[in-house]
């Protein structure tokens, strides 16, 4: 496999915190959280392989391969262990980083990987629908993102209160689902058939969280807690599958809490 450089943004000062978005999204999905997070951390926001401005990896895009691409980027940036906040596929990769000893703490929002066969089919159908919709409406996404009604249309199903999102967040589908490279192979290998295997290795603080209105992740998230030592499960009231602008203050608090459990001293 050829590892490619992942596009990223870097801001803030403090211990390193890596943000990993979900399948079909981009690093802009975390826009609502950045002001608070950069006040306490050096924040690195990555576009996952094939998403946004990051090129696709060679070979099969399994979770292990996508994680290897993230690890290679951490190495290239001189980052050893980092705090990680991930959503959906990004949350699944965050847990894999913890399995490999590269995470100081993890907040995993709606991680994929522990769905039943029926839940996997449901999730795959939703992802295919999002792909087709965003490819079709890609020329109109910029204009739609400028109004509350347009943002609701663009983010319905992912945010519980999509009208609250910023135009930047509403445009994630343009370079996410709408232009994602390797969509089908990533969907199959990193979502549909993926099963976590080494969760017992995790020895850093982990919080798994899920929005109370998440219609994508089904019951996967709380299933992680028995397999991860001292993992804590949290419900995000009124949050969707990607609740970054639904519950920004609560998510930031969870990141701070996990970092404090890991011994970070720079967080409030």
């Amino acid at each position: 496999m050829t590892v490619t450089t992942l596009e990223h943004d870097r801001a803030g000062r403090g211990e390193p915190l890596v943000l990993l978005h979900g399948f079909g999204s981009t690093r802009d999905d975390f826009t609502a959280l950045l002001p608070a997070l950069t006040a306490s951390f050096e924040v690195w926001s990555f576009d996952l392989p094939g998403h946004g401005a990051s090129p696709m990896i060679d070979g099969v895009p399994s979770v292990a391969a996508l994680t290897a691409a993230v690890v290679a980027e951490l190495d290239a940036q001189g980052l050893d262990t980092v705090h990680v906040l991930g959503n959906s596929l990004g949350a699944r990769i965050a847990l894999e980083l913890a399995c490999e000893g590269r995470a100081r703490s993890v907040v995993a929002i709606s991680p994929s990987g522990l769905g039943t066969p029926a839940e996997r089919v449901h999730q795959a159908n939703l992802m295919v629908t999002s792909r087709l919709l965003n490819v079709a409406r890609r020329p109109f996404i910029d204009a739609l993102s400028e109004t509350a009604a347009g943002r609701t249309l663009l983010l319905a199903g992912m945010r519980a209160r999509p009208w609250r999102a910023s135009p930047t967040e509403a445009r994630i589908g343009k370079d996410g689902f709408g232009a994602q490279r390797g969509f089908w192979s990533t969907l199959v290998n990193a979502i549909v058939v993926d099963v976590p295997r080494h969760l017992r290795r995790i020895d850093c603080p982990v919080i798994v969280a899920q929005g109370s209105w998440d219609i994508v992740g089904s019951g996967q998230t709380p299933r992680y807690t028995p397999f991860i030592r001292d993992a804590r499960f949290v419900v995000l009231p009124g949050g969707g599958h990607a609740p970054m602008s639904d519950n920004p203050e609560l998510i930031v608090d969870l990141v701070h809490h996990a970092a404090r459990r890991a011994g970070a001293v720079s967080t409030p």
Side-chain angles (χ1 to χ4, degrees):
M1 181 188 71
T2 301
V3 177
T4 52
T5 301
L6 301 183
E7 289 294 323
H8 63 272
D9 293 323
R10 174 186 178 187
R13 297 181 64 183
E15 294 197 349
L17 168 68
V18 169
L19 309 182
L20 300 174
H21 62 76
F23 182 74
S25 186
T26 74
R27 64 188 189 271
D28 286 339
D29 216 0
F30 293 97
T31 299
L33 305 179
L34 288 177
L37 292 177
T38 55
S40 301
F41 298 94
E42 179 184 72
V43 178
W44 297 75
S45 306
F46 291 170
D47 277 342
L48 292 176
H51 296 72
S54 290
M56 189 57 182
I57 58 173
D58 297 332
V60 177
S62 62
V63 167
L66 297 175
T67 302
V70 174
V71 168
E73 187 63 32
L74 295 179
D75 291 343
Q77 300 298 335
L79 298 170
D80 182 15
T81 57
V82 296
H83 303 287
V84 192
L85 168 62
N87 175 231
S88 195
L89 175 58
R92 172 71 183 91
I93 294 171
L95 293 171
E96 198 71 7
L97 288 172
C99 290
E100 298 186 13
R102 298 301 295 264
R104 302 182 192 184
S105 70
V106 170
V107 175
I109 302 173
S110 299
S112 56
L114 289 182
T116 65
E119 289 168 344
R120 290 169 189 263
V121 170
H122 166 72
Q123 193 165 5
N125 286 336
L126 291 175
M127 298 301 101
V128 171
T129 300
S130 294
R131 168 70 166 187
L132 298 176
L133 280 173
N134 281 282
V135 168
R137 66 194 180 190
R138 191 168 188 267
F140 314 106
I141 286 177
D142 286 343
L144 288 169
S145 70
E146 297 299 326
T147 68
R151 293 191 291 276
T152 299
L153 177 66
L154 292 171
L155 294 174
M158 301 303 288
R159 301 273 205 278
R161 289 166 281 194
W163 57 89
R164 295 180 54 179
S166 67
T168 299
E169 293 168 86
R171 289 192 289 268
I172 56 174
K174 183 177 180 180
D175 294 322
F177 281 119
Q180 182 179 341
R181 280 81 64 201
F183 172 85
W184 297 103
S185 57
T186 306
L187 175 63
V188 171
N189 290 286
I191 302 290
V192 176
V193 303
D194 170 62
V195 178
R197 290 178 173 83
H198 305 297
L199 298 174
R200 296 292 186 186
R201 295 179 182 175
I202 297 176
D203 61 0
C204 68
V206 173
I207 296 174
V208 289
Q210 184 170 23
S212 61
W213 296 352
D214 182 355
I215 64 172
V216 178
S218 303
Q220 296 183 65
T221 304
R223 293 177 193 141
Y224 273 95
T225 52
F227 298 105
I228 302 172
R229 182 174 52 195
D230 296 328
R232 173 188 171 197
F233 172 64
V234 175
V235 174
L236 303 174
H241 182 67
M244 282 70 86
S245 56
D246 293 330
N247 304 93
E249 296 86 0
L250 180 53
I251 293 172
V252 170
D253 285 346
L254 293 180
V255 173
H256 286 150
H257 180 74
R260 284 195 296 269
R261 287 178 59 197
V265 297
S266 60
T267 58

